[in-house]
Amino acid sequence: MISFENLPYHPPAAAVAHPAGKREKTVYIINKVIQALDLLEQFHGEIDELSLTQLSKRLSLHENHLRPLVATLKDRNYLEQNPSTGGYRLGYKTLELAQTMLRQIDLYRVSHPVLSSIFAICGETTAAAVLSKSFVIELDAIHCEQPVRVVSRVGVHLPAYCTAAGKALLACEPIEELERLLEGVELVSYTGNTICSVQDLAGELRQIAQKGYAIDDREGDPEVVGIAAAIRDYAGVVVGAVAITAPSCRMTVERLHTELAPLVLQGAREISSHLGFQEAEPEADDAVASPGVAPSTRTRIPHQKRKPRTSNRAA
């Protein structure tokens, strides 16, 4: 059984423990964070704007105590101030978070049946992943049941630059965004094949963008090979990737290109379609199924109606 244990695990930052009065259990709370969340939660239903005085009364906090909290949320664009009335309302950053959550919920709901179908065809570990800064996170995975298999960890952050799913996602980013994502990121070598140069990585990402899928034999483990293709939403924005990973002993070059590449491409295409993405029709003379794959190699994925035996959802 092969896992990603030698890759760094990046757990969320731990909160400071504060005993909660006479309660039996220790509750992990940060009072300022709770106050900020309570403030944001005042904007609900038909309440779209509140003055500082109204917020003070609702939260039972003195205005002088509330001002720095409001100023901080305003500075981070979680609140905005109406220049006409001086009242406060939710800022665009809250909308960004809501849209991200909705995309991820939709991605899990829509992708799971497709992952099940891909798994039924290839029998290898199949997953849906998203990009978070310079990391890739698996939202859902169906694991291979063979004795020698890849065991991925749903919800764990893995470096995007050395995984197939991460590279498929990075390859879709504009060069300016790519530079921002990789700024300050140390490209650590996990195997002898890991790309540690930003220039070399950019060159590989250009090739991936042309093909439409990423193949990587550096999945943090020299014995693991991965292949992935990007998923787009209704607006054409890349929101995730379909990935297949397996031990290198079963991932021959022929199998990667003739069996698995069409599978991840078609899987990504089907999920994108369910998310509202409409793929432009190619010209008749040069029609192709997807970048790098001829129409004759397009694979139709039969949907599985039965519930898969193994599944994981991101916490």
Side-chain angles (χ1 to χ4, degrees), residues 103-104 106-112 114-115 118 126-131 137 139-140 165 168-170 172-173 212-213 228-243 263-278:
R103 279 200 303 268
Q104 292 184 356
D106 281 347
L107 182 60
Y108 176 86
R109 175 179 58 82
V110 169
S111 66
H112 192 78
V114 179
L115 297 181
I118 294 175
T126 308
V130 296
L131 189 66
I137 308 171
L139 291 182
D140 188 20
L169 293 167
L170 290 175
C172 299
E173 296 290 344
Y213 60 90
I231 300 166
R232 297 180 183 272
D233 67 5
Y234 66 94
V237 177
V238 173
V239 294
V242 174
L263 273 179
V264 293
L265 285 167
Q266 183 61 19
R269 187 182 297 110
E270 288 192 19
I271 296 171
S272 299
S273 177
H274 288 307
L275 292 175
F277 177 66
Q278 295 184 344

Side-chain angles (χ1 to χ4, degrees), residues 3-66:
S3 68
F4 294 124
E5 295 298 332
N6 58 329
L7 281 183
Y9 171 52
H10 300 271
V16 178
H18 297 278
K22 296 182 180 180
R23 295 181 184 179
E24 294 182 0
K25 296 182 178 180
T26 298
V27 179
Y28 291 84
I29 59 174
I30 300 176
N31 287 328
K32 289 293 184 182
V33 175
I34 290 177
Q35 290 172 0
L37 294 174
D38 285 343
L39 191 156
L40 293 174
E41 289 172 359
Q42 301 309 306
F43 300 91
H44 59 83
E46 297 181 357
I47 302 174
D48 56 2
E49 186 173 311
L50 293 167
S51 67
L52 188 66
T53 300
Q54 289 173 318
L55 286 169
S56 175
K57 290 180 179 179
R58 282 172 165 268
L59 296 169
S60 299
L61 292 173
H62 195 278
E63 288 188 23
N64 290 338
H65 180 85
L66 201 55

Side-chain angles (χ1 to χ4, degrees), residues 86-142:
Y88 294 93
R89 55 197 178 198
L90 293 178
Y92 73 85
K93 196 67 178 178
T94 58
L95 178 60
E96 287 184 2
L97 292 178
Q99 289 177 331
T100 299
M101 183 203 69
L102 290 173
R103 279 200 303 268
Q104 292 184 356
I105 290 175
D106 281 347
L107 182 60
Y108 176 86
R109 175 179 58 82
V110 169
S111 66
H112 192 78
V114 179
L115 297 181
S116 300
S117 300
I118 294 175
F119 171 76
I121 294 173
C122 69
E124 304 292 358
T125 297
T126 308
V130 296
L131 189 66
S132 176
K133 297 183 180 179
S134 60
F135 297 97
V136 65
I137 308 171
E138 288 189 357
L139 291 182
D140 188 20
I142 300 175

